[in-house]
Amino acid sequence: MNNTNLEVKDLRKLFPVHRGIVGSILRKSQRWVHAVDGISFNLDKGEILALVGESGSGKTTTGLCALGLVEPTEGKILLQGMDIVELAHGPRKQELRQKAQLIFQDPYESLNPRQTVFRAVSEALGVHKLAKNDKQKLEIAVSTLEDVGLKPASTFLHRYPEQLSGGQRQRVGIASALALNPSLLVADEPVSMLDVSIRAEILGLLLRLRKEHEISMIYITHDLASAAFISDRVAVMYLGKIVEIGPAKVVLKDPLHPYTRSLMSVIPIPNPRRRQTRTVLKGETPNPIDLPSGCRFHPRCPVAFDRCPNVQPELVDVGDHHQAACLLVDRQIP
Amino acid sequence: MSLLEVNDLTIEYHTEDGIFRAVDGLNFHLDQGKSLGIVGESGCGKTTAMLALMRLLPESGRIVSGEVTLGGTNLLALSTDELRNYRWARISMIFQGAMNALNPVYTVGKQIEDTLKLHKTVPSKMTKKTMEKLFDMVGVSSTRANQYPHEYSGGMRQRAMIAMALACNPQIVIADEPTTALDVMVQAQILDLLKELQRELNLSIILVTHDLGVVAELCDDVLVMYGGQLAEYANTDRIYNNAVHPYTRRLLVAFPDIQNPEAELASIPGYPPPLDNLPPGCRFEPRCDVSVDICSKKIPPEVEAAPDHLARCVLVKGYRNNQ
């Protein structure tokens, strides 16, 4: 049986840069932001893939494309074999909206302050006709809230977001996504706004849900430590490209791309005795309008050599389902 | 004597709903050129205590007792006029979410120049030069001085805020969650910058955060706060390797460690106590997994677990001898 839930093939997304009045009068050529520039990956049922990278690496755009909220410039995205773009424009749009759900970063801003928990969780049930009447809505809301650990649900149903803690709010956010019984969840930095003491609970909850409901998940983060903990596979992105992808354990044990290594080295280690040499990259991700030639990472790469500005490295398989795009990954050096 | 000494600091918020004690009998000290990390979950009084040090508490906040001495002067006893020679000039603060604290309609350079003019740190002819020097110091090209905040990235805005905090040559800088909204690479850059400034200017830094990893990178000492009180206070190495307070121990295993991704995570169940309903005994007792009978009855005193290592827990050895 085919176990693939989501297939992303050669996904590209370019956003036009606004030229302004003067620009269009002078007929300046249109410039583009290369948010995502040719990436492919598969996601199995019940699998968690972490997209890791700095701001501007294209990880959120990839997530939004997978949800059908942003239309790709090129490439195909298939959810359970169905083309997402066709779905999003066709009569079965509702089905897509139900199957692919988003968990937001900031639970302080993503909940409507004037909606009770019950409404936040049940509103979409009506839209998708998953509940015939109010009684059924209530039943689903109660069981979903208990599923995400808000027990007993009756004490939460009629509360407003301001009466909840950050962790509880994020659970409500997860419950509203879960209530629709999705097959794909995109979680965009779901714990970065939460206190450290609560993060583990939320990560644990996501892990339990994917096991019980066989949900595939794209976990978007800049924090490799949490990615290592929650995901089965990790894809490291830089300027719209996947530079390294593989099983989380393999990638973290043996990172091959200099960017992955650097990202790993800057994660603060909670013990001064285990402090490691850090490779802090200078500056920030270059703007994705004027991309560097050759390997996009070469201007910031600590080990770049003369061929790097000229050759764009492709992902090479190094075994163990582990791929990296760097000329230094042995087989590419002539 | 230390550069900064905080003794028995107690702060209450007087509101329509009643009086809430946010900080309760807090003691700590900071030497010249050293850094102290203040750690704890949201709502444990970290920011309130720092605002009191700056005398910037909101109107409802009252300092009930205590002393904050900076180089021998009690900051809490100064008049508003006298305070001007201390606040920003000798002790300054980088606020939480400071990246959004820049005024969007003025250039960043002008905002820093205004600070210099207002405090008369340097002769007015020198303000532009000093401003450029500050840009240089925090690693932003001074050619960007006449750009507006929206033209800056998050990391650069944070650098600009650090420049502003340094404008009057303070001895102490309080940084409240300076890296929370930044991604890991920029966070590492900002931490490096703070370390470098500390070394070059012999600056003392108080770093307020809930991220123990960040503290391990930067700080000499760590103060763990819980429910407005000191929970544990020691040098960084002891906190990470010989922590005695159950809260500190739980915090240390609450989040994934990249060097040990297989380790079991244990979040701390429950939430910090609400200020209007503090438990009668140890503030951590309701969430503590090793509590004993007496914990729910009596607030434990601060006990020395070792020289220069304080903890507020009855299980710490030495407690019984103190009784």
Side-chain angles (χ1 to χ4, degrees), chain A residues 15-319:
Chain A
F15 293 101
V17 178
H18 187 59
R19 278 181 294 185
I21 295 175
V22 181
S24 36
I25 293 172
L26 296 177
R27 306 209 172 210
K28 279 196 180 162
S29 62
Q30 177 66 53
R31 304 204 299 160
W32 299 92
V33 171
H34 300 248
V36 180
D37 209 358
I39 69 170
S40 306
F41 60 86
N42 285 351
L43 194 59
D44 283 348
K45 268 184 203 141
E47 188 184 30
I48 302 183
L49 171 76
L51 291 181
V52 186
E54 288 168 276
S55 330
S57 59
K59 51 196 194 312
T60 297
T61 307
T62 307
L64 293 177
C65 286
L67 291 169
L69 293 174
V70 166
E71 198 172 314
T73 314
E74 276 173 37
K76 274 219 174 323
I77 303 174
L78 306 175
L79 181 64
Q80 296 176 338
M82 295 173 290
D83 189 309
I84 277 199
V85 179
E86 277 169 33
L87 271 184
H89 291 286
R92 290 164 76 196
K93 187 174 164 185
Q94 292 284 21
E95 201 178 322
L96 169 68
R97 294 280 175 262
Q98 178 216 324
K99 277 191 173 145
Q101 285 290 318
L102 179 61
I103 297 172
F104 295 91
Q105 172 172 18
D106 189 347
Y108 293 88
E109 303 211 343
S110 58
L111 295 177
N112 183 339
R114 301 184 55 169
Q115 271 187 354
T116 59
V117 169
F118 171 65
R119 269 198 64 196
V121 176
S122 67
E123 195 169 28
L125 291 172
V127 177
H128 292 286
K129 304 193 177 62
L130 294 174
K132 288 191 197 86
N133 47 41
D134 286 353
K135 191 171 157 250
Q136 216 174 4
K137 268 190 189 174
L138 187 67
E139 277 168 18
I140 298 178
V142 167
S143 73
T144 320
L145 285 174
E146 303 216 327
D147 205 5
V148 299
L150 293 173
K151 290 179 201 171
S154 55
T155 59
F156 289 96
L157 282 173
H158 302 293
R159 288 206 221 170
Y160 287 90
E162 59 157 27
Q163 296 163 299
L164 302 173
S165 70
Q168 289 170 336
R169 286 177 203 221
Q170 195 56 303
R171 284 171 195 269
V172 172
I174 295 171
S176 357
L178 195 66
L180 298 177
N181 203 9
S183 75
L184 173 70
L185 268 182
V186 175
D188 194 350
E189 302 268 16
V191 299
S192 67
M193 301 297 288
L194 301 175
D195 249 331
V196 170
S197 55
I198 308 162
R199 289 183 185 180
E201 272 178 42
I202 299 293
L203 292 180
L205 170 66
L206 292 176
L207 278 173
R208 180 170 63 79
L209 293 176
R210 75 93 180 251
K211 202 166 152 195
E212 285 170 8
H213 301 264
E214 278 217 321
I215 302 176
S216 320
M217 204 179 306
I218 297 181
Y219 177 78
I220 297 172
T221 185
H222 63 254
D223 175 22
L224 263 171
S226 70
F229 175 75
I230 194 175
S231 62
D232 305 303
R233 279 193 303 148
V234 173
V236 180
M237 289 187 70
Y238 189 78
L239 274 180
K241 288 239 178 239
I242 291 180
V243 295
E244 184 158 6
I245 183 167
K249 278 181 194 158
V250 180
V251 172
L252 289 157
K253 200 170 153 238
D254 185 20
L256 293 173
H257 199 283
Y259 181 60
T260 316
R261 290 188 180 174
S262 162
L263 270 186
M264 278 181 73
S265 79
V266 296
I267 293 172
I269 304 298
N271 195 327
R273 285 189 195 173
R274 288 190 277 131
R275 203 173 280 166
Q276 52 187 6
T277 344
R278 302 190 300 164
T279 320
V280 180
L281 300 176
K282 294 239 161 56
E284 288 162 35
T285 318
N287 83 41
I289 302 173
D290 307 306
L291 293 169
S293 66
C295 171
R296 291 173 184 195
F297 184 55
H298 86 261
R300 295 172 83 196
C301 183
V303 292
F305 61 106
D306 54 351
R307 290 189 58 213
C308 296
N310 307 319
V311 187
Q312 181 155 313
E314 295 296 322
L315 281 170
V316 220
D317 214 317
V318 291

Side-chain angles (χ1 to χ4, degrees), chain A residues 54-55 165 168 195-197 199-201 222 249 262 268-271 273-276 278 281 283-284, chain B residues 41-42 153 183-185 187 189 192 210 213 216-217 237 240-241 254-257 259 262 265 267-268 271:
Chain A
E54 288 168 276
S55 330
S165 70
Q168 289 170 336
D195 249 331
V196 170
S197 55
R199 289 183 185 180
E201 272 178 42
H222 63 254
K249 278 181 194 158
S262 162
I269 304 298
N271 195 327
R273 285 189 195 173
R274 288 190 277 131
R275 203 173 280 166
Q276 52 187 6
R278 302 190 300 164
L281 300 176
E284 288 162 35
Chain B
E41 288 161 277
S42 314
S153 69
D183 68 31
V184 274
M185 196 60 71
Q187 166 171 298
Q189 292 169 353
D192 278 359
H210 62 250
E217 293 283 336
D237 188 68
Y240 289 88
N241 296 296
F255 203 63
D257 178 347
Q259 292 179 347
E262 313 265 294
L265 287 192
S267 57
I268 311 173
Y271 301 95

Side-chain angles (χ1 to χ4, degrees), chain B residues 203-216:
Chain B
L203 201 64
S204 309
I205 294 178
I206 299 179
L207 180 74
V208 180
T209 178
H210 62 250
D211 187 340
L212 277 161
V214 172
V215 170

